[in-house]
């Protein structure tokens, strides 16, 4: 028999191994989780929503996962503007997979919502411009083409012309999709 470490390096190469001879359980930890593909889409257009109903922001990207076990890491950097007259006002930017909302909106408890508060008396106009940066790890469980997009809505409607929009301040917004292998 062979003693431990009895074969010199290079004696057995990949061609010497039988198909499926090396299983995931025999690999060193940390071997999984590789990026299999990446898609990035940028947008510099302005879009506005004056209602409490979600509407497309104009930022979307599609990816076709290579396996149902793959995860999709969604990364968004989106410039927005939130505007109204007096009083407090809020809005939401959320990530959707197709028509399915996958991040919380203004009623949720996480950081995907946007809020501003203007308590100054006599102020007739207020605007907040900022950048919404977020990531979300999704498990779509499909090998079909899948579209991810952002949608936006106001928290409520009132006088003073509230709206939420994607600003066109000269800096593009982007969405990046990474397929992560299991």
């Amino acid at each position: 028999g062979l003693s431990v470490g009895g074969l010199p390096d290079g004696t057995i190469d990949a061609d010497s191994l039988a198909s499926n001879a090396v299983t995931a359980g025999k690999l060193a930890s940390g071997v999984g989780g590789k990026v299999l593909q990446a898609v990035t889409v940028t947008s510099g257009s302005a879009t506005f929503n004056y209602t409490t109903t979600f509407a497309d922001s104009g930022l979307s990207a599609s990816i076709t996962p290579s396996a149902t076990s793959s995860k999709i890491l969604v990364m968004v950097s989106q410039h927005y503007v939130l505007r109204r007259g007096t009083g407090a006002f809020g809005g939401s930017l959320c990530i959707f997979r197709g028509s399915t909302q996958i991040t919380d909106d203004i009623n949720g408890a996480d950081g995907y919502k946007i809020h501003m508060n203007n308590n100054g008396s006599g102020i007739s106009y207020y605007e907040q411009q900022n950048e919404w940066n977020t990531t979300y790890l999704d498990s779509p469980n499909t090998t079909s083409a899948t579209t991810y997009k952002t949608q936006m809505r106001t928290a409520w409607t009132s006088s003073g012309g509230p709206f939420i929009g994607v600003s066109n301040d000269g800096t593009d917004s982007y969405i990046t999709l990474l397929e992560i292998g299991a």
Side-chain angles (χ1 to χ4, degrees):
L2 293 174
S3 60
V4 175
L7 292 176
D9 288 343
T11 302
I12 298 177
D13 59 14
D15 292 333
S16 300
L17 296 174
S19 296
N20 298 321
V22 179
T23 63
K26 302 221 187 241
L27 295 175
S29 63
V31 173
K34 293 182 180 178
V35 175
L36 303 178
Q37 61 175 312
V39 176
T40 298
V41 173
T42 60
S43 174
S45 62
T47 308
F48 302 100
N49 184 3
Y50 296 83
T51 73
T52 58
T53 302
F54 275 113
D56 287 350
S57 72
L59 188 62
S60 69
S62 294
I63 194 167
T64 303
S66 58
T68 56
S69 59
S70 291
K71 296 188 183 302
I72 305 298
L73 182 62
V74 184
M75 298 180 290
V76 174
S77 178
Q78 190 158 30
H79 299 268
Y80 71 89
V81 57
L82 198 55
R83 184 183 297 168
R84 72 147 293 146
T86 59
F89 176 62
S92 294
L93 275 165
C94 293
I95 299 172
F96 281 70
R97 181 192 336 107
S99 60
T100 302
Q101 180 182 339
I102 60 175
T103 60
D104 286 344
D105 64 11
I106 198 69
N107 297 313
D110 65 20
Y112 299 102
K113 60 188 175 183
I114 297 166
H115 178 74
M116 73 178 187
N117 192 358
N118 170 26
N119 291 323
S121 60
I123 298 175
S124 59
Y125 172 82
Y126 191 83
E127 179 174 290
Q128 177 189 67
Q129 292 192 47
N130 212 329
E131 187 175 20
W132 182 61
N133 295 294
T134 194
T135 58
Y136 185 83
L137 186 61
D138 189 37
S139 300
N141 193 31
T142 185
T143 55
S144 298
T146 305
T147 298
Y148 291 87
K149 62 185 176 181
T150 60
Q151 289 195 337
M152 58 190 173
R153 74 173 186 164
T154 61
W156 59 84
T157 57
S158 64
S159 62
F163 73 78
I164 185 169
V166 178
S167 69
N168 58 346
D169 62 357
T171 305
D172 286 345
S173 297
Y174 72 84
I175 183 169
T176 296
L177 308 177
L178 300 178
E179 180 185 1
I180 310 298

